[in-house]
Amino acid sequence: ERRAARSEMTSLLGKTEQTLSGTRTPPTLGMVMFGASVQLSAAAVSWLQLTPAGICLSSLSGCLADAWASQVALTLALSLALWLFSLRTIPTTGTSDPSIVDRLWSILPALYSWHFYLRMPPGSSGHSRALLMTGLSTAWGLRLTWNFAKKGGFSGGEDYRWAEVRTWFPGLKWEAFNLVFICLFQQIVLLACASPAAAAMRSGAPLGLVDVVAAALFAVHLLGEAIADEQMWRFQSEKYRRKRQEEPLGPYARGFIESGLWAYSRHPNYYCEVMIWCANHPRTCVPVLAQNAC
């Protein structure tokens, strides 16, 4: 059965009323919770058994003394705080608003990386690698935050897709989805993205070819993501300008960009985003934060 919902996608450029038509029945809440629980459980088992985070179960002082262990604890606390903050809109709208999670997405990985770097012991041989990774993560965060801001991401409102998801999980189902998938699961994903920086602070190996290749891949895909987002921004800017001026839309009539990098991929920015974080992991062994990490 096809499902459709109408909502507004808003940016500083203009407003386009969307008709969201699914090609298949949306997943059940049980399926979503099962998938999230499996991945969260895998992260919990790996991090508690194979990294210093396990000390948090037995020693508060030991937990706070270790950069990675304390960051895991802080991220869990942040997840709870974000969920409680999202509930503030229930008295006025009848539903929670998790938009704060979207606004922190481009900020937290760089902050985590700086936390790991600044907690390194003086004279540690891993300083160069950690600083390189932290610098690249910061460049990624600054670019993505600027791209999000210029489109109105910090001006209020929420991502139009959440309105669609609420139709899948109405009422208390949405609140459960918000807690587990949006506020908790996404925070664990962001910490996992920054986890190679924590592994770097434990590495005594000097910078080598792997670091150079990984840094180059990160930089190339960061540039590709910036180009793709700028091409989309210019396309949408001109499209809305023509609409406001009531000019013929011409090549903008379809509404979708099909030039530049977008001529070769439906989502070149998403591809580059995935590759950016994949480029970080070759610098560390698996599991990422094992005591004997490379």
Side-chain angles (χ1 to χ4, degrees), residues 20-53:
L20 305 176
S21 299
T23 57
R24 63 184 67 185
T25 301
T28 65
L29 181 63
M31 291 174 60
V32 172
M33 291 299 185
F34 175 75
S37 297
V38 169
Q39 295 176 77
L40 288 172
S41 297
V45 171
S46 299
W47 290 355
L48 291 175
Q49 293 188 359
L50 300 170
T51 81

Side-chain angles (χ1 to χ4, degrees), residues 102-107 109 137-151 154 190 222 225-226 229 269-270 273 276-277:
D102 298 325
R103 296 182 180 113
L104 290 175
W105 184 269
S106 61
I107 299 172
S137 295
T138 302
W140 168 86
L142 289 173
R143 191 215 68 82
L144 191 58
T145 299
W146 164 245
N147 185 68
F148 189 61
K150 74 177 183 179
K151 294 190 295 186
F154 295 101
L190 291 177
L222 179 60
E225 185 178 47
D229 282 341
N269 51 347
Y270 292 173
E273 177 74 7
I276 281 172
W277 295 110

Side-chain angles (χ1 to χ4, degrees), residues 213-256:
V213 172
L217 286 173
F218 191 111
V220 166
H221 287 95
L222 179 60
L223 177 61
E225 185 178 47
I227 292 173
D229 282 341
E230 181 63 21
Q231 289 173 344
M232 174 63 79
W233 171 260
R234 293 183 179 184
F235 178 89
Q236 297 294 346
S237 296
E238 177 61 16
K239 182 181 73 174
Y240 282 113
R241 187 198 68 78
R242 293 190 181 201
K243 284 186 174 183
R244 287 191 296 270
Q245 298 298 323
E246 297 183 350
E247 297 179 6
L249 291 179
Y252 302 90
R254 190 178 180 212
F256 298 101

Side-chain angles (χ1 to χ4, degrees), residues 18-137:
Q18 295 280 96
T19 300
L20 305 176
S21 299
T23 57
R24 63 184 67 185
T25 301
T28 65
L29 181 63
M31 291 174 60
V32 172
M33 291 299 185
F34 175 75
S37 297
V38 169
Q39 295 176 77
L40 288 172
S41 297
V45 171
S46 299
W47 290 355
L48 291 175
Q49 293 188 359
L50 300 170
T51 81
I55 198 174
C56 293
L57 299 178
S58 59
S59 172
L60 176 60
S61 60
C63 181
L64 296 177
D66 184 87
W68 168 253
S70 61
Q71 187 58 67
V72 172
L74 287 171
T75 299
L76 291 175
L78 176 62
S79 299
L80 177 60
L82 292 175
W83 177 66
L84 292 174
F85 183 76
S86 75
L87 301 180
R88 76 196 185 284
T89 57
I90 290 181
T92 55
T93 66
T95 184
S96 59
D97 177 6
S99 298
I100 183 66
V101 176
D102 298 325
R103 296 182 180 113
L104 290 175
W105 184 269
S106 61
I107 299 172
L108 291 176
L111 291 182
Y112 293 158
S113 295
W114 277 109
H115 175 212
F116 299 142
Y117 176 72
L118 294 174
R119 291 281 298 274
M120 294 184 70
S124 172
S125 58
H127 264 282
S128 297
R129 176 176 291 103
L131 181 59
L132 175 61
M133 297 174 74
T134 300
L136 289 171
S137 295

